[in-house]
């Protein structure tokens, strides 16, 4: 295993794609921190908490792509066959690739967080404990994402592995976002026709609501109707649990630091609820073990001719 890991890391460090992604992620993280610094120059109260966490979004997109490229290159160059020919077990080859890809993610995360802290030096971390906890959950969900992407890349030997890995990452990420937004739909919504801007005698512009017939209506008199997009129980709990199990759903739960819960009348956000962090970590562990076990079982039987 040690020799396999040594060979993987040697190949990785010689890869131009790896260093291009490294530069992009580092520059992007530093740029976000400097934008936060410019914001702090205006109001003096900008926090850097979310800036530290937000670097995970780009990693969620780029990690599957690099995983597909790295493993598929081994297939294309015949490296995996060579490893097996010299006596390495299929289990060792599979696990060494898994460890290599996850180590790459740990490197990206450490570099991005360091870039934010350096570029944002002097900015305040409002809740250090919460930031550390969220980073820990992110590392667990990236462990699950790594298991999924390695599973795909190790079982697909042609060039489509890169595209499929990229599509898996994008689908999990934006699918999770779409489900999170759908679950945050209020029970009721205002029923009006349109909004227009009007100018009063003092020259000030105000919003004027119009009903379905085009008649002016006061904002306080707008009727509320049931929201056809609202997801009621028990489907809301089932869908949220399913979304929290997959890495993309967890990503938005962490990036947004919880999810909105509307009041019973649906007119306003009553509170922000948090899925227990230990629960998210448990889901990630289960997904990791599932795809690792399934991947190992299928790779042992795979014909590599």
């Amino acid at each position: 295993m040690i020799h396999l890991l040594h060979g993987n890391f040697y190949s990785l460090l010689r890869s131009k794609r790896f260093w291009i992604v490294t530069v992009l992620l580092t520059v992007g993280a530093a740029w976000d921190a400097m934008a936060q610094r410019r914001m702090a120059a205006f109001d003096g109260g900008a926090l850097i908490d979310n800036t530290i966490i937000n670097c995970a979004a780009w990693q969620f997109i780029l990690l599957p792509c690099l995983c597909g490229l790295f493993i598929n290159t081994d297939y294309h160059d015949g490296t995996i066959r060579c490893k097996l020919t010299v006596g390495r077990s299929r289990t060792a080859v599979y696990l060494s690739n898994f460890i290599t890809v996850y180590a790459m993610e740990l490197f990206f995360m450490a570099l991005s967080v360091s870039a934010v802290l350096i570029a944002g030096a002097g900015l305040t971390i409002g809740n250090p404990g919460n930031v550390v906890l969220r980073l820990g959950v992110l590392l667990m969900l990236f462990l699950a994402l790594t298991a999924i992407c390695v599973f795909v890349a190790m079982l697909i030997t042609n060039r489509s592995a890169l595209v499929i890995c990229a599509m898996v990452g994008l689908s999990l990420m934006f699918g999770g976002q779409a489900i999170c937004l759908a679950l945050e739909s209020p029970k009721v919504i205002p029923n009006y026709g349109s909004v227009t801007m009007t100018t009063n005698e003092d020259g000030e512009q105000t919003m004027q609501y119009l009903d379905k017939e085009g008649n002016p209506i006061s904002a306080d008199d707008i009727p509320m109707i049931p929201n056809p997009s609202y997801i009621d129980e028990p489907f809301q709990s089932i869908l949220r649990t399913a979304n929290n199990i997959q890495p993309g759903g967890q990503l938005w739960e962490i990036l947004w630091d919880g999810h909105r819960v509307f009041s019973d009348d649906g007119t306003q956000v009553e509170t922000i609820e948090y899925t227990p962090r230990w629960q998210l970590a448990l889901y990630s562990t289960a997904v990791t073990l599932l795809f690792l076990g399934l991947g190992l079982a299928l790779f042992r039987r795979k014909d590599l001719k």
Side-chain angles (χ1 to χ4, degrees):
M1 177 72 79
I2 298 297
H3 294 294
L4 289 172
L5 289 173
H6 182 271
N8 283 352
F9 288 129
Y10 180 78
S11 299
L12 193 64
L13 293 176
R14 289 171 59 87
S15 170
K16 292 180 181 179
R17 300 184 187 100
F18 170 74
W19 290 112
I20 289 173
V21 171
T22 298
V23 171
L24 288 175
L25 289 175
T26 305
V27 171
W31 182 270
D32 285 345
M34 288 187 288
Q36 199 71 3
R37 181 186 292 278
R38 289 191 295 269
M39 187 181 298
F42 286 102
D43 56 27
L47 300 177
I48 204 172
D49 299 43
N50 288 333
T51 308
I52 295 174
I53 301 299
N54 288 343
C55 60
W58 283 109
Q59 294 171 32
F60 201 97
I61 296 173
L62 294 173
L63 182 67
C65 297
L66 274 181
C67 175
L69 276 171
F70 174 72
I71 294 177
N72 190 253
T73 299
D74 273 5
Y75 271 124
H76 187 261
D77 295 343
T79 306
I80 289 183
R81 285 197 198 91
C82 290
K83 291 176 180 178
L84 297 176
T85 301
V86 298
R88 308 303 178 192
S89 69
R90 294 199 176 205
T91 298
V93 170
Y94 192 101
L95 291 178
S96 65
N97 284 341
F98 172 76
I99 293 171
T100 301
V101 174
Y102 188 59
M104 181 167 57
E105 166 54 30
L106 293 178
F107 175 72
F108 288 153
M109 183 64 75
L111 206 60
S112 296
V113 171
S114 299
V116 170
L117 294 177
I118 293 172
L123 295 177
T124 304
I125 300 178
N127 191 339
N130 182 51
V131 171
V132 171
L133 184 59
R134 291 163 72 187
L135 283 174
V137 178
L138 282 175
L139 292 179
M140 290 301 298
L141 76 85
F142 275 114
L143 187 67
L145 179 65
T146 300
I148 295 171
C149 293
V150 170
F151 171 83
V152 173
M154 289 295 290
L155 297 180
I156 299 176
T157 58
N158 55 49
R159 290 296 189 183
S160 63
L162 167 61
V163 177
I164 295 175
C165 283
M167 291 303 298
V168 166
L170 291 172
S171 298
L172 291 176
M173 180 177 180
F174 292 109
Q177 182 187 40
I179 293 174
C180 285
L181 292 174
L183 290 172
E184 290 190 351
S185 297
K187 293 181 180 180
V188 294
I189 55 176
N191 183 31
Y192 59 89
S194 60
V195 178
T196 185
M197 300 300 295
T198 60
T199 305
N200 58 23
E201 296 178 354
D202 297 328
E204 298 178 350
Q205 287 192 330
T206 58
M207 286 194 305
Q208 176 63 64
Y209 291 92
L210 304 177
D211 61 18
K212 298 294 184 179
E213 287 74 32
N215 301 314
I217 182 174
S218 170
D220 296 331
D221 296 331
I222 297 175
M224 305 296 288
I225 60 173
N227 183 3
S229 300
Y230 178 71
I231 302 173
D232 209 346
E233 294 291 356
F235 299 107
Q236 179 154 155
S237 295
I238 294 172
L239 193 56
R240 186 173 297 283
T241 299
N243 200 40
N244 283 337
I245 290 174
Q246 66 101 352
Q250 289 192 28
L251 177 70
W252 296 107
E253 178 75 17
I254 299 302
L255 290 183
W256 293 341
D257 201 14
H259 53 272
R260 300 181 301 169
V261 177
F262 284 83
S263 56
D264 290 336
D265 60 8
T267 57
Q268 60 184 353
V269 176
E270 185 175 57
T271 185
I272 301 293
E273 287 190 358
Y274 304 89
T275 302
R277 304 306 190 214
W278 64 265
Q279 196 174 88
L280 296 179
L282 188 62
Y283 289 151
S284 293
T285 302
V287 171
T288 302
L289 294 177
L290 172 64
F291 278 91
L292 267 181
L294 188 59
L296 285 169
L298 294 176
F299 184 66
R300 289 194 194 105
R301 303 172 56 185
K302 183 174 177 58
D303 184 1
L304 299 178
K305 292 182 181 179

